[in-house]
Amino acid sequence: MHMRPLMIDLTGKRVVIIGGGEVGARKARFFAPAAEVTVISRSFSPHLSGTDVKRIPCDIRDLPDGEICALLDGAFAVVAATPDPSLNNRIGTLCREKGILFNNASGDTGDLLIPSVIAGDHFLLALSTGGESPAVSRFLREHLQSTLPDLDRMVALQARLRQYLPEREPDSRKRKAIVTAVLYDPSVWAALAKGEEGAWQIIEEKYLQ
């Protein structure tokens, strides 16, 4: 696999979804919190309700390439989510000609993959099998969510600890050792299930004396 993961700020960037069915709605929900999303379709899934997306009612199957390109102008990324692989591939060809990142839900692989995501207030994890097994990506996401339910609290706790430690410990190697020890401490993880302050008390008693 030649793809590499990147975290991209999508603020102000336009993402176009071609196809307003369940797949298109799922892709739109993925991008909508961050990007300016436009969905182009003959009809729109109820799953788009409540999402901040622009809808353009249009059947692009019979449009000439020039008119399709006009609909894609200004797009940072395009997702082809129609049930017709040949139409999706045609859109992909136009995107490559225009230098637009392209994800294909059904057809030839594009140059953009949409990962399975786990997100909290303090972290973002992306999982992908390169399109070979979405089920494995989903399995890994569900496994991490079930085995590390307090991951978000741990990230916040680590940030608090890293901010506090320079006042108590001038040696950077010792600070790193404390941070790592806390991360691997089962008692800290157990306390986090009830809240951050209980976990912080354990840290003070075990590592900050």
Side-chain angles (χ1 to χ4, degrees):
M1 186 189 301
H2 295 292
M3 293 190 173
R4 291 295 179 266
L6 297 172
M7 297 292 184
I8 299 174
D9 185 353
L10 293 174
T11 304
K13 290 183 171 59
R14 183 173 185 242
V15 175
V16 177
I17 315 288
I18 310 295
E22 289 190 13
V23 175
R26 186 169 68 250
K27 306 288 187 179
R29 289 196 303 271
F30 176 87
F31 286 106
E36 298 175 0
V37 178
T38 299
V39 179
I40 302 172
S41 181
R42 291 179 297 168
S43 60
F44 301 93
S45 166
H47 291 102
L48 280 169
S49 298
T51 57
D52 185 16
V53 303
K54 179 181 178 180
R55 306 182 193 190
I56 299 179
C58 179
D59 186 348
I60 72 168
R61 289 179 299 179
D62 298 322
L63 293 182
D65 288 354
E67 292 187 30
I68 295 177
C69 285
L71 291 169
L72 306 182
D73 279 346
F76 172 76
V78 169
V79 177
T82 82
D84 183 351
S86 62
L87 175 58
N88 292 345
N89 292 341
R90 179 185 171 205
I91 296 167
T93 297
L94 297 175
C95 287
R96 284 190 291 274
E97 292 174 353
K98 292 173 69 66
I100 300 172
L101 292 173
F102 175 68
N103 172 262
N104 198 345
S106 177
D108 297 336
T109 303
D111 51 12
L112 175 67
L113 292 179
I114 298 177
S116 182
V117 169
I118 309 171
D121 293 333
H122 306 284
F123 76 94
L124 178 67
L125 298 177
L127 303 166
S128 176
T129 58
E132 293 185 10
S133 178
V136 170
S137 296
R138 184 169 59 253
F139 168 80
L140 289 172
R141 172 173 55 80
E142 293 172 352
H143 177 71
L144 287 170
Q145 288 173 323
S146 63
T147 56
L148 295 173
D150 298 305
L151 181 57
D152 204 40
R153 287 178 172 177
M154 175 57 83
V155 178
L157 185 67
Q158 288 272 310
R160 177 180 175 181
L161 181 60
R162 292 180 68 246
Q163 185 176 17
Y164 177 79
L165 275 175
E167 302 175 5
R168 297 289 299 272
E169 178 53 68
D171 190 323
S172 61
R173 290 173 297 180
K174 291 182 179 180
R175 293 200 301 268
K176 181 179 178 180
I178 292 172
V179 168
T180 302
V182 167
L183 182 60
Y184 283 85
D185 190 329
S187 66
V188 174
W189 280 99
L192 276 176
K194 298 180 180 179
E196 185 178 311
E197 291 310 314
W200 186 258
Q201 183 177 350
I202 292 174
I203 292 172
E204 287 185 321
E205 294 172 353
K206 294 180 67 173
Y207 302 104
L208 301 180
Q209 296 297 330

